[in-house]
Amino acid sequence: IAMAATSRVMRAVRVFEFGGPEVLKLQSDVLVPVPKENQVLIKVHACGVNPVETYIRAGTYARKPALPYTPGSDVSGVIEGVGEHVTAFKKGDRVFTLETVSGGYAEYAVAAANRVFPLPDKLDFRQGAALGVPYFTAYRALFQKGCAKAGESVLVHGASGGVGLAACQIARACGLKVLGTAGTEEGMNVILRNGAHQAFNHRDPNYIERIKECTGKRGVDIIIEMLSNVNLDADLQLLAHAGRVMVVGCRGRIEINPRDTMSKESSIIGVSLFLATEEERHECATALLDGIEAGWLKPIVGSEYPLEKVAKAHEDIICSSGARGKMVLLL
């Protein structure tokens, strides 16, 4: 009996080999992790699904975890226990995370206490799982790396997905002129309701021309780019003088003409949330929690899947046409 008390088991998704969505295996006998010092144990209510998790699972991403592993970084839930030296949280606290140590596609997850933040009562757990990666990435891309200022214009490519909607809400609240692209009528309506001044359908063959018409001869100051392997060449034509493309997502190679950056002294800047410092994460969290309090930051949850359907979620996030909000797993 004593053994059973200390070695609780849970359901968790495990990956034993890199490959397609079918390598995601749901197991019901995984040991519940124990928080070490400066860590907390979270009872997971929802976990976000991010495109990067499909690249890691496929083995094509720069950072490869040791096998076997449990995917997932941004969870929301309730603190179940805390390790030594943790004073910021106690059992029962509602929280969300940026990343986990043990993996988020599971009933319990361990996370470093400094990657965990209080989840305001205004948001439910589904929304909590849509906060971490998308909003911190969008804030980092706009301000920490993109140096966005009120009065500038921003074009958000793929604006109806998790990071895209976060970027629209944040940019609008901070005084930027926001243009967004989506692949469906529904997606365009979602972004217009969430901060975009104008929406463009990126399936329209003339959509680049329409954006040019809208911005006049000047171009846009910042482009938040989720699919740089498709759009980067065209992005460089859309930029204003000293404009910058923030590379948030990429699924392959692309050919560009570097001369396009010379004519406008424009920049292409990569964005990686993994490289944020403790101070930068704290700045993001403060700005976002203020936005929730003020009422303009409202995560939009898209498709929801039970843990059993995790392979379908991984398939859909890459293959389905037109995102609308953040994809989450519900536990």
Side-chain angles (χ1 to χ4, degrees):
I1 293 170
M3 273 301 288
T6 51
S7 314
R8 291 186 301 163
V9 294
M10 63 173 182
R11 293 187 314 142
V13 173
R14 303 291 280 160
V15 174
F16 294 89
E17 58 179 326
F18 297 113
E22 69 283 353
V23 302
L24 298 160
K25 305 290 186 201
L26 179 57
Q27 302 198 303
S28 54
D29 57 352
V30 179
L31 285 177
V32 173
V34 177
K36 301 191 173 90
E37 62 176 342
N38 301 315
Q39 292 182 341
V40 297
L41 177 66
I42 300 166
K43 183 175 192 343
V44 178
H45 284 250
C47 179
V49 180
N50 298 290
V52 69
E53 286 146 27
T54 68
Y55 314 149
I56 295 169
R57 181 216 71 225
T60 58
Y61 195 62
R63 303 185 323 147
K64 279 201 186 94
L67 295 168
Y69 77 99
T70 294
S73 56
D74 37 8
V75 307
S76 66
V78 174
I79 296 284
E80 176 80 7
V82 299
E84 276 186 275
H85 312 310
V86 175
T87 54
F89 300 103
K90 63 184 185 312
K91 188 174 162 74
D93 287 349
R94 286 164 42 96
V95 293
F96 72 94
T97 66
L98 260 190
E99 58 184 280
T100 65
V101 175
S102 60
Y105 296 8
E107 290 177 325
Y108 293 90
V110 159
N114 64 1
R115 303 286 203 283
V116 176
F117 304 93
L119 178 64
D121 290 335
K122 284 187 178 181
L123 303 186
D124 62 29
F125 290 116
R126 293 153 53 253
Q127 292 172 305
L131 273 174
V133 171
Y135 280 86
F136 280 69
T137 300
Y139 184 90
R140 182 170 181 75
L142 283 164
F143 299 106
Q144 293 177 341
K145 295 293 164 192
C147 304
K149 294 179 189 67
E152 288 192 314
S153 57
V154 59
L155 169 64
V156 183
H157 261 312
S160 61
V163 178
L165 285 169
C168 288
Q169 290 178 0
I170 296 168
R172 179 66 179 255
C174 295
L176 282 92
K177 182 180 180 186
V178 185
L179 313 176
T181 73
T184 62
E185 198 65 38
E186 185 189 5
M188 289 166 70
N189 289 331
V190 168
I191 64 183
L192 288 169
R193 288 198 303 271
N194 283 279
H197 291 88
Q198 279 183 276
F200 303 87
N201 189 330
H202 58 65
R203 297 183 200 282
D204 170 357
N206 300 317
Y207 89 99
I208 300 276
E209 291 312 312
R210 290 186 192 199
I211 294 172
K212 282 183 179 162
E213 282 164 28
C214 170
T215 57
K217 293 195 164 58
R218 201 175 166 277
V220 289
D221 297 302
I222 301 174
I223 297 177
I224 306 290
E225 184 52 77
M226 316 299 171
L227 203 58
S228 43
N229 54 299
V230 172
N231 300 319
L232 188 58
D233 188 46
D235 288 343
L236 295 175
Q237 328 288 322
L238 286 172
L239 287 177
H241 177 75
R244 46 265 187 223
V245 180
M246 312 310 299
V247 177
V248 171
C250 183
R251 297 182 188 174
R253 302 173 74 87
I254 185 171
E255 189 173 306
I256 62 164
N257 184 348
R259 186 170 287 150
D260 292 335
T261 64
M262 296 159 65
S263 57
K264 295 173 183 168
E265 292 196 322
S266 56
S267 319
I268 301 166
I269 302 169
V271 180
S272 173
L273 189 53
F274 297 121
L275 299 177
T277 63
E278 179 105 26
E279 290 74 26
E280 287 172 330
R281 285 195 304 272
H282 180 71
E283 180 199 333
C284 282
T286 305
L288 300 178
L289 291 167
D290 281 353
I292 295 167
E293 196 50 49
W296 57 259
L297 195 160
K298 286 198 178 81
I300 305 299
V301 177
S303 315
E304 303 172 7
Y305 299 79
L307 210 48
E308 295 76 22
K309 296 272 167 65
V310 63
K312 180 87 174 91
H314 267 227
E315 212 169 288
D316 290 352
I317 200 166
I318 295 301
C319 302
S320 73
S321 61
R324 43 169 214 301
K326 169 77 174 184
M327 183 182 283
V328 297
L329 297 172
L330 300 178
L331 285 98

